[in-house]
PDB file of all heavy atoms in Angstrom:
ATOM      1  N   LEU A  12      15.063  17.510  62.581  1.00  0.00           N
ATOM      2  CA  LEU A  12      13.650  17.159  62.420  1.00  0.00           C
ATOM      3  C   LEU A  12      13.501  15.792  61.752  1.00  0.00           C
ATOM      4  O   LEU A  12      12.645  14.983  62.129  1.00  0.00           O
ATOM      5  CB  LEU A  12      12.939  18.230  61.581  1.00  0.00           C
ATOM      6  CG  LEU A  12      12.832  19.627  62.176  1.00  0.00           C
ATOM      7  CD1 LEU A  12      12.124  20.556  61.192  1.00  0.00           C
ATOM      8  CD2 LEU A  12      12.108  19.608  63.515  1.00  0.00           C
ATOM      9  N   TYR A  13      14.332  15.546  60.757  1.00  0.00           N
ATOM     10  CA  TYR A  13      14.338  14.259  60.050  1.00  0.00           C
ATOM     11  C   TYR A  13      14.626  13.129  61.044  1.00  0.00           C
ATOM     12  O   TYR A  13      13.934  12.091  61.050  1.00  0.00           O
ATOM     13  CB  TYR A  13      15.415  14.314  58.969  1.00  0.00           C
ATOM     14  CG  TYR A  13      15.316  13.298  57.859  1.00  0.00           C
ATOM     15  CD1 TYR A  13      15.176  13.702  56.538  1.00  0.00           C
ATOM     16  CD2 TYR A  13      15.395  11.931  58.098  1.00  0.00           C
ATOM     17  CE1 TYR A  13      15.108  12.778  55.507  1.00  0.00           C
ATOM     18  CE2 TYR A  13      15.344  11.012  57.086  1.00  0.00           C
ATOM     19  CZ  TYR A  13      15.197  11.442  55.783  1.00  0.00           C
ATOM     20  OH  TYR A  13      15.140  10.524  54.764  1.00  0.00           O
ATOM     21  N   ALA A  14      15.623  13.331  61.880  1.00  0.00           N
ATOM     22  CA  ALA A  14      15.986  12.314  62.869  1.00  0.00           C
ATOM     23  C   ALA A  14      14.847  12.078  63.858  1.00  0.00           C
ATOM     24  O   ALA A  14      14.645  10.949  64.338  1.00  0.00           O
ATOM     25  CB  ALA A  14      17.254  12.742  63.603  1.00  0.00           C
ATOM     26  N   ARG A  15      14.086  13.122  64.150  1.00  0.00           N
ATOM     27  CA  ARG A  15      12.959  12.979  65.072  1.00  0.00           C
ATOM     28  C   ARG A  15      11.894  12.056  64.480  1.00  0.00           C
ATOM     29  O   ARG A  15      11.302  11.241  65.199  1.00  0.00           O
ATOM     30  CB  ARG A  15      12.365  14.364  65.361  1.00  0.00           C
ATOM     31  CG  ARG A  15      11.431  14.393  66.561  1.00  0.00           C
ATOM     32  CD  ARG A  15      10.803  15.761  66.713  1.00  0.00           C
ATOM     33  NE  ARG A  15      11.793  16.816  66.861  1.00  0.00           N
ATOM     34  CZ  ARG A  15      11.488  18.112  66.855  1.00  0.00           C
ATOM     35  NH1 ARG A  15      10.219  18.487  66.684  1.00  0.00           N
ATOM     36  NH2 ARG A  15      12.434  19.019  67.007  1.00  0.00           N
ATOM     37  N   ILE A  16      11.657  12.179  63.178  1.00  0.00           N
ATOM     38  CA  ILE A  16      10.677  11.296  62.524  1.00  0.00           C
ATOM     39  C   ILE A  16      11.179   9.852  62.534  1.00  0.00           C
ATOM     40  O   ILE A  16      10.437   8.921  62.836  1.00  0.00           O
ATOM     41  CB  ILE A  16      10.418  11.749  61.079  1.00  0.00           C
ATOM     42  CG1 ILE A  16       9.950  13.189  61.032  1.00  0.00           C
ATOM     43  CG2 ILE A  16       9.372  10.846  60.420  1.00  0.00           C
ATOM     44  CD1 ILE A  16       9.927  13.770  59.631  1.00  0.00           C
ATOM     45  N   VAL A  17      12.453   9.674  62.186  1.00  0.00           N
ATOM     46  CA  VAL A  17      13.037   8.329  62.162  1.00  0.00           C
ATOM     47  C   VAL A  17      12.928   7.683  63.539  1.00  0.00           C
ATOM     48  O   VAL A  17      12.541   6.510  63.672  1.00  0.00           O
ATOM     49  CB  VAL A  17      14.504   8.386  61.692  1.00  0.00           C
ATOM     50  CG1 VAL A  17      15.181   7.022  61.872  1.00  0.00           C
ATOM     51  CG2 VAL A  17      14.588   8.828  60.240  1.00  0.00           C
ATOM     52  N   GLU A  18      13.223   8.448  64.569  1.00  0.00           N
ATOM     53  CA  GLU A  18      13.148   7.930  65.939  1.00  0.00           C
ATOM     54  C   GLU A  18      11.716   7.542  66.292  1.00  0.00           C
ATOM     55  O   GLU A  18      11.477   6.510  66.939  1.00  0.00           O
ATOM     56  CB  GLU A  18      13.668   8.975  66.916  1.00  0.00           C
ATOM     57  CG  GLU A  18      13.691   8.519  68.359  1.00  0.00           C
ATOM     58  CD  GLU A  18      14.222   9.581  69.317  1.00  0.00           C
ATOM     59  OE1 GLU A  18      14.597  10.668  68.849  1.00  0.00           O
ATOM     60  OE2 GLU A  18      14.238   9.317  70.535  1.00  0.00           O
ATOM     61  N   SER A  19      10.747   8.360  65.865  1.00  0.00           N
ATOM     62  CA  SER A  19       9.350   8.056  66.154  1.00  0.00           C
ATOM     63  C   SER A  19       8.925   6.754  65.481  1.00  0.00           C
ATOM     64  O   SER A  19       8.279   5.899  66.105  1.00  0.00           O
ATOM     65  CB  SER A  19       8.473   9.214  65.677  1.00  0.00           C
ATOM     66  OG  SER A  19       7.106   8.917  65.856  1.00  0.00           O
ATOM     67  N   VAL A  20       9.290   6.582  64.208  1.00  0.00           N
ATOM     68  CA  VAL A  20       8.930   5.349  63.493  1.00  0.00           C
ATOM     69  C   VAL A  20       9.606   4.140  64.143  1.00  0.00           C
ATOM     70  O   VAL A  20       8.981   3.087  64.330  1.00  0.00           O
ATOM     71  CB  VAL A  20       9.319   5.463  62.009  1.00  0.00           C
ATOM     72  CG1 VAL A  20       9.102   4.129  61.296  1.00  0.00           C
ATOM     73  CG2 VAL A  20       8.520   6.560  61.318  1.00  0.00           C
ATOM     74  N   GLN A  21      10.860   4.297  64.514  1.00  0.00           N
ATOM     75  CA  GLN A  21      11.590   3.179  65.110  1.00  0.00           C
ATOM     76  C   GLN A  21      11.115   2.836  66.516  1.00  0.00           C
ATOM     77  O   GLN A  21      11.455   1.771  67.026  1.00  0.00           O
ATOM     78  CB  GLN A  21      13.087   3.482  65.118  1.00  0.00           C
ATOM     79  CG  GLN A  21      13.734   3.371  63.745  1.00  0.00           C
ATOM     80  CD  GLN A  21      15.233   3.491  63.812  1.00  0.00           C
ATOM     81  OE1 GLN A  21      15.763   4.410  64.431  1.00  0.00           O
ATOM     82  NE2 GLN A  21      15.927   2.574  63.161  1.00  0.00           N
ATOM     83  N   SER A  22      10.328   3.702  67.122  1.00  0.00           N
ATOM     84  CA  SER A  22       9.798   3.376  68.446  1.00  0.00           C
ATOM     85  C   SER A  22       8.755   2.262  68.378  1.00  0.00           C
ATOM     86  O   SER A  22       8.452   1.624  69.387  1.00  0.00           O
ATOM     87  CB  SER A  22       9.190   4.620  69.097  1.00  0.00           C
ATOM     88  OG  SER A  22       8.007   5.029  68.420  1.00  0.00           O
ATOM     89  N   VAL A  23       8.207   2.035  67.165  1.00  0.00           N
ATOM     90  CA  VAL A  23       7.219   0.961  67.011  1.00  0.00           C
ATOM     91  C   VAL A  23       7.610  -0.055  65.947  1.00  0.00           C
ATOM     92  O   VAL A  23       6.974  -1.101  65.819  1.00  0.00           O
ATOM     93  CB  VAL A  23       5.827   1.538  66.653  1.00  0.00           C
ATOM     94  CG1 VAL A  23       5.303   2.405  67.776  1.00  0.00           C
ATOM     95  CG2 VAL A  23       5.872   2.329  65.352  1.00  0.00           C
ATOM     96  N   LEU A  24       8.649   0.267  65.166  1.00  0.00           N
ATOM     97  CA  LEU A  24       9.084  -0.635  64.100  1.00  0.00           C
ATOM     98  C   LEU A  24      10.547  -0.974  64.306  1.00  0.00           C
ATOM     99  O   LEU A  24      11.399  -0.079  64.319  1.00  0.00           O
ATOM    100  CB  LEU A  24       8.905   0.036  62.729  1.00  0.00           C
ATOM    101  CG  LEU A  24       9.371  -0.784  61.527  1.00  0.00           C
ATOM    102  CD1 LEU A  24       8.396  -1.926  61.253  1.00  0.00           C
ATOM    103  CD2 LEU A  24       9.509   0.095  60.293  1.00  0.00           C
ATOM    104  N   TYR A  25      10.847  -2.246  64.456  1.00  0.00           N
ATOM    105  CA  TYR A  25      12.219  -2.649  64.735  1.00  0.00           C
ATOM    106  C   TYR A  25      12.945  -2.949  63.425  1.00  0.00           C
ATOM    107  O   TYR A  25      13.106  -4.094  63.025  1.00  0.00           O
ATOM    108  CB  TYR A  25      12.218  -3.840  65.687  1.00  0.00           C
ATOM    109  CG  TYR A  25      11.513  -3.509  66.988  1.00  0.00           C
ATOM    110  CD1 TYR A  25      10.301  -4.121  67.313  1.00  0.00           C
ATOM    111  CD2 TYR A  25      12.019  -2.546  67.850  1.00  0.00           C
ATOM    112  CE1 TYR A  25       9.637  -3.789  68.486  1.00  0.00           C
ATOM    113  CE2 TYR A  25      11.356  -2.218  69.023  1.00  0.00           C
ATOM    114  CZ  TYR A  25      10.168  -2.837  69.340  1.00  0.00           C
ATOM    115  OH  TYR A  25       9.518  -2.500  70.490  1.00  0.00           O
ATOM    116  N   ALA A  26      13.330  -1.874  62.761  1.00  0.00           N
ATOM    117  CA  ALA A  26      14.051  -1.967  61.496  1.00  0.00           C
ATOM    118  C   ALA A  26      15.323  -1.134  61.608  1.00  0.00           C
ATOM    119  O   ALA A  26      15.452  -0.267  62.471  1.00  0.00           O
ATOM    120  CB  ALA A  26      13.190  -1.467  60.339  1.00  0.00           C
ATOM    121  N   ASP A  27      16.279  -1.382  60.710  1.00  0.00           N
ATOM    122  CA  ASP A  27      17.541  -0.670  60.777  1.00  0.00           C
ATOM    123  C   ASP A  27      17.370   0.784  60.348  1.00  0.00           C
ATOM    124  O   ASP A  27      16.406   1.157  59.672  1.00  0.00           O
ATOM    125  CB  ASP A  27      18.594  -1.355  59.896  1.00  0.00           C
ATOM    126  CG  ASP A  27      18.180  -1.380  58.435  1.00  0.00           C
ATOM    127  OD1 ASP A  27      18.500  -0.433  57.715  1.00  0.00           O
ATOM    128  OD2 ASP A  27      17.526  -2.355  58.027  1.00  0.00           O
ATOM    129  N   ASP A  28      18.342   1.626  60.745  1.00  0.00           N
ATOM    130  CA  ASP A  28      18.277   3.060  60.472  1.00  0.00           C
ATOM    131  C   ASP A  28      18.151   3.348  58.985  1.00  0.00           C
ATOM    132  O   ASP A  28      17.401   4.237  58.578  1.00  0.00           O
ATOM    133  CB  ASP A  28      19.527   3.764  61.013  1.00  0.00           C
ATOM    134  CG  ASP A  28      19.562   3.792  62.535  1.00  0.00           C
ATOM    135  OD1 ASP A  28      18.528   3.479  63.149  1.00  0.00           O
ATOM    136  OD2 ASP A  28      20.627   4.117  63.097  1.00  0.00           O
ATOM    137  N   ASN A  29      18.892   2.618  58.165  1.00  0.00           N
ATOM    138  CA  ASN A  29      18.927   2.893  56.738  1.00  0.00           C
ATOM    139  C   ASN A  29      17.546   2.695  56.100  1.00  0.00           C
ATOM    140  O   ASN A  29      17.088   3.518  55.303  1.00  0.00           O
ATOM    141  CB  ASN A  29      19.957   1.996  56.051  1.00  0.00           C
ATOM    142  CG  ASN A  29      20.316   2.483  54.667  1.00  0.00           C
ATOM    143  OD1 ASN A  29      20.636   3.649  54.466  1.00  0.00           O
ATOM    144  ND2 ASN A  29      20.271   1.599  53.688  1.00  0.00           N
ATOM    145  N   THR A  30      16.859   1.619  56.474  1.00  0.00           N
ATOM    146  CA  THR A  30      15.530   1.343  55.925  1.00  0.00           C
ATOM    147  C   THR A  30      14.553   2.448  56.281  1.00  0.00           C
ATOM    148  O   THR A  30      13.806   2.942  55.430  1.00  0.00           O
ATOM    149  CB  THR A  30      15.010  -0.011  56.440  1.00  0.00           C
ATOM    150  OG1 THR A  30      15.868  -1.054  55.974  1.00  0.00           O
ATOM    151  CG2 THR A  30      13.592  -0.272  55.960  1.00  0.00           C
ATOM    152  N   VAL A  31      14.550   2.854  57.550  1.00  0.00           N
ATOM    153  CA  VAL A  31      13.606   3.881  57.992  1.00  0.00           C
ATOM    154  C   VAL A  31      13.966   5.236  57.392  1.00  0.00           C
ATOM    155  O   VAL A  31      13.085   5.993  56.962  1.00  0.00           O
ATOM    156  CB  VAL A  31      13.558   3.949  59.528  1.00  0.00           C
ATOM    157  CG1 VAL A  31      12.586   5.035  59.983  1.00  0.00           C
ATOM    158  CG2 VAL A  31      13.143   2.606  60.110  1.00  0.00           C
ATOM    159  N   GLN A  32      15.249   5.572  57.326  1.00  0.00           N
ATOM    160  CA  GLN A  32      15.664   6.828  56.698  1.00  0.00           C
ATOM    161  C   GLN A  32      15.195   6.915  55.254  1.00  0.00           C
ATOM    162  O   GLN A  32      14.704   7.956  54.805  1.00  0.00           O
ATOM    163  CB  GLN A  32      17.190   6.966  56.747  1.00  0.00           C
ATOM    164  CG  GLN A  32      17.734   7.512  58.044  1.00  0.00           C
ATOM    165  CD  GLN A  32      19.217   7.820  57.936  1.00  0.00           C
ATOM    166  OE1 GLN A  32      19.838   7.628  56.898  1.00  0.00           O
ATOM    167  NE2 GLN A  32      19.792   8.298  59.034  1.00  0.00           N
ATOM    168  N   LEU A  33      15.344   5.832  54.525  1.00  0.00           N
ATOM    169  CA  LEU A  33      14.928   5.814  53.123  1.00  0.00           C
ATOM    170  C   LEU A  33      13.409   5.922  52.992  1.00  0.00           C
ATOM    171  O   LEU A  33      12.906   6.623  52.106  1.00  0.00           O
ATOM    172  CB  LEU A  33      15.428   4.540  52.446  1.00  0.00           C
ATOM    173  CG  LEU A  33      16.930   4.505  52.146  1.00  0.00           C
ATOM    174  CD1 LEU A  33      17.388   3.073  51.881  1.00  0.00           C
ATOM    175  CD2 LEU A  33      17.264   5.394  50.952  1.00  0.00           C
ATOM    176  N   ALA A  34      12.671   5.256  53.859  1.00  0.00           N
ATOM    177  CA  ALA A  34      11.207   5.336  53.809  1.00  0.00           C
ATOM    178  C   ALA A  34      10.727   6.752  54.097  1.00  0.00           C
ATOM    179  O   ALA A  34       9.853   7.280  53.405  1.00  0.00           O
ATOM    180  CB  ALA A  34      10.591   4.350  54.801  1.00  0.00           C
ATOM    181  N   VAL A  35      11.305   7.375  55.115  1.00  0.00           N
ATOM    182  CA  VAL A  35      10.958   8.762  55.440  1.00  0.00           C
ATOM    183  C   VAL A  35      11.354   9.681  54.287  1.00  0.00           C
ATOM    184  O   VAL A  35      10.601  10.566  53.875  1.00  0.00           O
ATOM    185  CB  VAL A  35      11.635   9.211  56.749  1.00  0.00           C
ATOM    186  CG1 VAL A  35      11.413  10.702  56.988  1.00  0.00           C
ATOM    187  CG2 VAL A  35      11.103   8.412  57.929  1.00  0.00           C
ATOM    188  N   GLY A  36      12.547   9.450  53.728  1.00  0.00           N
ATOM    189  CA  GLY A  36      13.016  10.266  52.613  1.00  0.00           C
ATOM    190  C   GLY A  36      12.145  10.133  51.392  1.00  0.00           C
ATOM    191  O   GLY A  36      11.969  11.089  50.630  1.00  0.00           O
ATOM    192  N   CYS A  37      11.562   8.960  51.180  1.00  0.00           N
ATOM    193  CA  CYS A  37      10.669   8.750  50.044  1.00  0.00           C
ATOM    194  C   CYS A  37       9.438   9.639  50.174  1.00  0.00           C
ATOM    195  O   CYS A  37       9.011  10.279  49.206  1.00  0.00           O
ATOM    196  CB  CYS A  37      10.271   7.282  49.953  1.00  0.00           C
ATOM    197  SG  CYS A  37       9.320   6.860  48.467  1.00  0.00           S
ATOM    198  N   LEU A  38       8.875   9.700  51.360  1.00  0.00           N
ATOM    199  CA  LEU A  38       7.704  10.547  51.564  1.00  0.00           C
ATOM    200  C   LEU A  38       8.075  12.022  51.451  1.00  0.00           C
ATOM    201  O   LEU A  38       7.380  12.794  50.782  1.00  0.00           O
ATOM    202  CB  LEU A  38       7.074  10.257  52.932  1.00  0.00           C
ATOM    203  CG  LEU A  38       5.704  10.889  53.185  1.00  0.00           C
ATOM    204  CD1 LEU A  38       4.888  10.024  54.142  1.00  0.00           C
ATOM    205  CD2 LEU A  38       5.794  12.301  53.738  1.00  0.00           C
TER     206      LEU A  38
END
Side-chain angles (χ1 to χ4, degrees):
L12 295 179
Y13 199 120
R15 195 184 302 172
I16 303 169
V17 171
E18 183 180 359
S19 176
V20 173
Q21 286 188 311
S22 69
V23 297
L24 178 73
Y25 301 112
D27 61 89
D28 290 348
N29 196 50
T30 297
V31 179
Q32 277 189 0
L33 286 163
V35 173
C37 187
L38 190 150

